[in-house]
Amino acid sequence: MSNMIFFLVMLFSTTVTSHSVDGNDITLKEEFELERHLKLINKPPIRSIETEFGYIVDCVDIKKQPAFDHPLLKNHKLQMRPSFYSKNEEKNLNISSIKTRFRPDIVDCPKGSVPIRRTTKEDLICAKILLNNSTLVKREAHTAEVYVRGGHYYGVRGTTSVYKPECSINQASMSNAYVRNGEGGAVNEISVGWHVFPHLYGDDRSYIYATWTSDDYVKTGCYNLQCQGFVQIHGKYYLGVPIRSVSVYGGEIYEMPVAIYQDAKSKNWWLSILNETIGYYPQELFNNLKEAAQVGWGGATIAMGDPSPKMGSGYFPDKNFAHACYFLNIGYKNATNSQYYGPSYYAARVFNDVPKCFGVEYYGRQPNPYGYCLQFGGPGGKCGY
Ligand SMILES: *[C@@H]1O[C@H](CO)[C@@H](O)[C@H](O)[C@H]1NC(C)=O
Ligand SMILES: *[C@@H]1O[C@H](CO)[C@@H](O)[C@H](O)[C@H]1NC(C)=O
Ligand SMILES: *[C@@H]1O[C@H](CO)[C@@H](O)[C@H](O)[C@H]1NC(C)=O
Ligand SMILES: *[C@@H]1O[C@H](CO)[C@@H](O)[C@H](O)[C@H]1NC(C)=O
Ligand SMILES: *[C@@H]1O[C@H](CO)[C@@H](O)[C@H](O)[C@H]1NC(C)=O
């Protein structure tokens, strides 16, 4: 599952002289690279919005957003909405009464501009320190998921409950759905969901996020808009937004529908979150994602060594959707313009690398409002390597 800490490797390879920025040791050369990268990804805003969470959202001219600086997108034609746009993508969710419709904090950008969370030097330095640390060698990733593979897939969707598993600065925990093609270093992937990742945001809130890569996160890809690639279309919803209300075990459940689906005409991969079309990953970014050979739903954790943080709500699956974290109404597309199909018991595979720490259970098709659904998660702890 997509969860690697990767995208700054190329930026910080050599060291020259030592120097201190905001209490962190970085070399002048590194600082220069940081500034250069920031200039590339933070575009001059039409309006800037200071959020109460302390970060800034820039409203950037939709035609001048960072994605269009990507070398592979030189001739890219901006697509304003999916071709053959159908509400089908968005209306498949049945929110039952015990659940609360999740409301993200949104911003209001002027027409013709889109919101982009501003990346700061501190964001980049945090990512750098994480990478620089030799304990990274012992980085551990655990996954508990349901997936289908072996077919030709063009979309994935599902609705996950949202939690905020405690994570220290050396840990991260997430729930996501993804499309993937290729093996090993040739993995091309897009994923979307929520995560807690203190190193990325500087706090332990839960955030809406998406990632992509075209080489298994070795040189390409990043979270949200911290690198060029994603084309933002929505004027109010954006990636990297903190989630204010999270579910409580046995209590109120907040949930979030997500979908990734390919445009039949342009072959771009659209992202839909909370029933809104947010934007897309242009086909040109990928060298091996004309279609996906695998799609999946579930959770993952990352830790610098033991122990692992909790996954989901921190509880194992128990068939009670107010307990363990879930994905409801999951589906995949096996043709670009097809409907979503739920995985049959035959087709669905389950992966869980440390059963003593985490669980995952696939329930197949259940009555409304659940549809094809699963639960995953667990307490983490000393899971071993
Ligand atoms: C990165 O690692 C090197 C070697 O371990 C160390 O000398 C340097 O201070 C580290 N830099 C940061 C910012 O942690
Ligand atoms: C999703 O969006 C569609 C169209 O905007 C709307 O008709 C539908 O009610 C929405 N579904 C939910 C669950 O909000
Ligand atoms: C590296 O990570 C370990 C474990 O989290 C931490 O104790 C140590 O301070 C870190 N070292 C640096 C140079 O950031
Ligand atoms: C897609 O999957 C459904 C359900 O398994 C099947 O009925 C249909 O024939 C498949 N379509 C293609 C194009 O493979
Ligand atoms: C949504 O769920 C409710 C409660 O389970 C059910 O009564 C209703 O028929 C469902 N609606 C749709 C469109 O499936």
Side-chain angles (χ1 to χ4, degrees):
M1 200 166 269
S2 51
N3 45 26
M4 298 303 141
I5 302 143
F6 39 76
F7 65 99
L8 285 159
V9 188
M10 326 74 85
L11 283 180
F12 311 101
S13 34
T14 38
T15 47
V16 194
T17 40
S18 220
H19 170 75
S20 186
V21 175
D22 305 331
N24 292 300
D25 279 344
I26 65 166
T27 67
L28 286 173
K29 174 162 181 176
E30 285 165 347
E31 198 184 349
F32 174 77
E33 291 296 333
L34 285 175
E35 295 288 356
R36 202 175 61 94
H37 185 69
L38 285 176
K39 258 198 207 106
L40 287 175
I41 58 173
N42 290 329
K43 295 296 174 188
I46 287 168
R47 178 195 294 170
S48 288
I49 298 154
E50 186 144 3
T51 67
E52 69 180 88
F53 299 100
Y55 64 88
I56 292 170
V57 176
D58 288 326
C59 296
V60 174
D61 184 335
I62 190 167
K63 298 199 177 83
K64 294 184 180 151
Q65 56 183 305
F68 298 126
D69 292 336
H70 195 291
L72 292 173
L73 302 181
K74 277 212 177 78
N75 301 314
H76 182 77
K77 193 164 169 295
L78 176 65
Q79 186 177 5
M80 290 301 289
R81 46 154 50 201
S83 22
F84 308 114
Y85 182 80
S86 102
K87 297 232 159 120
N88 222 3
E89 296 297 343
E90 307 189 336
K91 71 180 179 210
N92 313 308
L93 305 146
N94 191 340
I95 314 289
S96 82
S97 55
I98 57 147
K99 290 173 261 164
T100 303
R101 192 71 208 284
F102 173 105
R103 279 178 217 290
D105 285 66
I106 57 174
V107 296
D108 214 346
C109 280
K111 207 167 168 2
S113 70
V114 290
I116 295 180
R117 185 183 156 126
R118 190 185 293 176
T119 300
T120 65
K121 195 190 277 185
E122 286 67 37
D123 293 340
L124 295 181
I125 290 173
C126 281
K128 170 193 157 29
I129 289 170
L130 191 61
L131 278 170
N132 192 47
N133 196 325
S134 60
T135 52
L136 260 181
V137 177
K138 293 192 210 150
R139 183 181 63 214
E140 190 60 8
H142 296 301
T143 303
E145 64 169 353
V146 168
Y147 66 97
V148 293
R149 66 174 294 157
H152 306 280
Y153 307 118
Y154 302 88
V156 65
R157 71 138 200 234
T159 297
T160 179
S161 44
V162 180
Y163 290 88
K164 189 175 84 75
E166 294 146 33
C167 286
S168 74
I169 195 75
N170 298 312
Q171 301 174 326
S173 186
M174 67 211 73
S175 164
N176 67 26
Y178 66 86
V179 295
R180 180 186 302 162
N181 203 36
E183 300 290 332
V187 165
N188 281 226
E189 181 178 85
I190 300 169
S191 72
V192 59
W194 60 261
H195 65 181
V196 177
F197 204 148
H199 233 302
L200 204 58
Y201 302 96
D203 63 42
D204 62 0
R205 289 196 182 90
S206 202
Y207 287 84
I208 296 176
Y209 83 101
T211 68
W212 69 281
T213 182
S214 63
D215 63 357
D216 200 23
Y217 303 104
V218 173
K219 283 192 174 154
T220 65
C222 63
Y223 291 101
N224 305 331
L225 274 84
Q226 293 201 344
C227 67
Q228 300 142 351
F230 185 69
V231 177
Q232 172 81 26
I233 295 295
H234 203 287
K236 293 183 165 60
Y237 288 58
Y238 58 97
L239 298 174
V241 69
I243 299 173
R244 203 183 277 274
S245 313
V246 294
S247 312
V248 175
Y249 178 90
E252 197 157 20
I253 303 299
Y254 291 87
E255 60 175 25
M256 175 170 99
V258 297
I260 308 165
Y261 56 95
Q262 195 184 68
D263 192 298
K265 257 191 170 163
S266 64
K267 309 295 180 196
N268 297 328
W269 290 92
W270 287 91
L271 213 59
S272 154
I273 300 174
L274 291 160
N275 208 18
E276 300 284 334
T277 304
I278 309 294
Y280 63 91
Y281 289 100
Q283 179 59 230
E284 296 94 313
L285 291 175
F286 304 98
N287 50 44
N288 190 16
L289 201 55
K290 296 256 187 304
E291 59 186 33
Q294 181 170 333
V295 299
W297 308 262
T301 65
I302 309 175
M304 306 303 139
D306 256 351
S308 167
K310 294 174 180 175
M311 184 192 293
S313 67
Y315 290 86
F316 285 104
D318 65 352
K319 299 191 169 68
N320 183 333
F321 288 103
H323 291 171
C325 193
Y326 60 70
F327 257 102
L328 306 181
N329 287 304
I330 67 169
Y332 61 84
K333 288 182 170 203
N334 55 7
T336 28
N337 281 322
S338 82
Q339 64 184 95
Y340 286 99
Y341 293 99
S344 67
Y345 271 118
Y346 277 126
R349 304 191 200 185
V350 166
F351 179 80
N352 180 20
D353 62 344
V354 267
K356 71 170 175 177
C357 289
F358 307 111
V360 53
E361 285 210 43
Y362 186 50
Y363 302 127
R365 183 177 189 173
Q366 298 296 321
N368 268 336
Y370 304 111
Y372 291 86
C373 56
L374 61 124
Q375 277 186 305
F376 64 89
K382 295 225 170 286
C383 304
Y385 299 103

